[in-house]
Amino acid sequence: MLPADGNGSCLCKDSSDFIPKMIVLVVGRVGYRKVPSLCNRFCSTYIRRMRYLSELKEDDDACRQAYNSGSFFLFHNLSPFVQQKGKMFLAPKINAPEMKRILTKLSQSERQIEDSMLVGCSAECTPYFALDLGSLERAAIESELGGSFADMWKALFRLEEEDQALISSAQALLRWHNNNKYCGKTGQPTEKNLSGSKRMCHNSEITYYPQMSPVVITLVSDGSRCLLVRQASFPKGMYTALSGFCDVGESLEETVRREVAEEVGLEVESLWYSASQHWPLPNSSLMIGCHAMVCPQQSKVRSGAGVAPYLVW
């Protein structure tokens, strides 16, 4: 449709004006049509991966077959196995034949692979699993593989971004299964499905799914400064933003306002969401990043009871 004035007349008065506009319109539409095509090609890889993972989560036979083509991250009592790479850590992905060889050498059954948890897959749909060998001798595994089981807190800051996300998810899932071996209603043992996406109590017929706790982490500003806090246990020079768990029944906005009021004695005037990230420590949490503005004329902080004693604008 051509642009028109208030009376419905075409605003283009002659053909010399009309033709260039028509060319621009056609070229624009051709260019525009390329975007969804590229988007579909990009999305198809993602959709294929998500549907593949969904199949493995729900189909034990498919998951059992995937063990034979998968790669494994190893843990020892929730500490991830890593190898030094310069100043960084590498979380090696151990293929299935090597994983079976290691179990055999450590006098374990190959069926221990079925204790693994599905944590993701590559772009080519190679499944990734996590396996905790905490019942075995730590030094023997480290010697066999040429690496070490690292403290999770240190590992998170020295892993590459992709490994960081996978190791974070893996540890959280392993921890959840360790903490939910019994039914809360009957007290009877629960059983995981092969992928580790759920646990079932066959007596009560209750199905339990892994959960995360929502936490807001808020950067408070008065327009020209931001408020940071420091715990006594932090390394020298380390500060962070305010954070706190969501209470039952609260919205994110209510949690932000309450936490800022409780911890530093300030009233939030406006706030907005920024981004979110999974965080495995000390238990699995969904960290929800927010910004909050307070009045510059009322920015004197008053630390609440039990709050970090070091506050600085």
Side-chain angles (χ1 to χ4, degrees):
M1 180 181 292
L2 298 177
D5 60 18
N7 297 319
S9 302
C10 179
L11 294 179
C12 180
K13 300 300 182 182
D14 55 50
S15 60
S16 62
D17 186 29
F18 170 76
I19 292 174
K21 289 186 177 182
M22 201 57 189
I23 293 173
V24 170
L25 182 62
V26 172
V27 172
R29 285 183 175 174
V30 171
Y32 175 78
R33 286 173 181 170
K34 289 182 179 179
V35 175
S37 177
L38 291 172
C39 182
N40 287 338
R41 285 200 292 271
F42 170 77
C43 290
S44 65
T45 302
Y46 176 78
I47 293 171
R48 184 170 67 251
R49 287 173 54 222
M50 294 304 105
R51 289 185 173 175
Y52 176 63
L53 289 173
S54 178
E55 178 187 5
L56 298 188
K57 289 176 182 179
E58 299 302 324
D59 188 333
D60 280 356
D61 290 334
C63 188
R64 186 176 287 108
Q65 186 175 355
Y67 286 146
N68 297 319
S69 59
S71 295
F72 295 79
F73 294 103
L74 291 186
F75 287 76
H76 192 278
N77 293 327
L78 302 180
S79 294
F81 180 77
V82 297
Q83 294 171 332
Q84 193 83 30
K85 185 183 178 184
K87 294 184 178 181
M88 300 294 288
F89 282 157
L90 171 70
K93 301 177 180 72
I94 302 169
N95 62 38
E98 177 67 1
M99 190 69 251
K100 292 177 181 179
R101 183 195 70 79
I102 293 168
L103 289 173
T104 301
K105 187 163 185 178
L106 296 173
S107 302
Q108 301 297 306
S109 168
E110 291 184 2
R111 292 204 64 180
Q112 191 168 347
I113 281 182
E114 295 191 1
D115 293 336
S116 301
M117 312 292 174
L118 178 68
V119 295
C121 71
S122 69
E124 296 75 27
C125 289
T126 298
Y128 296 145
F129 297 93
L131 178 61
D132 196 305
L133 299 178
S135 62
L136 306 182
E137 185 183 352
R138 177 173 179 153
I141 305 170
E142 292 176 334
S143 175
E144 180 66 28
L145 294 175
S148 61
F149 291 99
D151 176 79
M152 186 64 174
W153 178 264
K154 295 178 181 178
L156 279 177
F157 292 99
R158 297 176 66 182
L159 286 167
E160 298 292 343
E161 186 174 349
E162 179 187 6
D163 286 346
Q164 188 183 87
L166 289 166
I167 291 298
S168 172
S169 298
Q171 196 219 42
L173 193 56
L174 290 167
R175 186 191 300 276
W176 181 84
H177 280 277
N178 283 346
N179 293 339
N180 290 272
K181 293 182 178 180
Y182 298 92
C183 176
K185 183 176 182 179
T186 66
Q188 295 299 309
T190 56
E191 180 182 355
K192 85 173 186 72
N193 64 339
L194 278 188
S195 71
S197 65
K198 57 189 174 183
R199 296 189 74 91
M200 293 80 67
C201 174
H202 298 294
N203 286 54
S204 64
E205 297 185 347
I206 295 175
T207 301
Y208 295 91
Y209 296 93
Q211 297 180 345
M212 296 189 296
S213 300
V215 177
V216 295
I217 181 165
T218 307
L219 187 63
V220 177
S221 173
D222 65 357
S224 60
R225 303 174 298 172
C226 61
L227 183 63
L228 298 178
V229 301
R230 171 178 167 77
Q231 299 281 355
S233 59
F234 283 4
K236 184 179 179 180
M238 180 178 174
Y239 289 81
T240 185
L242 297 173
S243 62
F245 288 94
C246 296
D247 281 349
V248 173
E250 277 188 331
S251 66
L252 294 180
E253 294 84 356
E254 289 169 335
T255 302
V256 170
R257 295 180 187 279
R258 174 182 56 76
E259 283 291 334
V260 174
E262 286 180 355
E263 296 197 11
V264 296
L266 297 177
E267 187 169 345
V268 172
E269 290 190 330
S270 63
L271 62 97
W272 61 97
Y273 165 79
S274 177
S276 64
Q277 176 187 355
H278 173 253
W279 186 248
L281 301 171
N283 294 298
S284 187
S285 300
L286 177 62
M287 301 295 291
I288 304 163
C290 298
H291 290 269
M293 293 292 295
V294 297
C295 178
Q297 287 75 37
Q298 298 175 354
S299 59
K300 182 179 179 180
V301 296
R302 299 176 295 279
S303 180
V307 178
Y310 306 107
L311 305 168
V312 59
W313 279 105

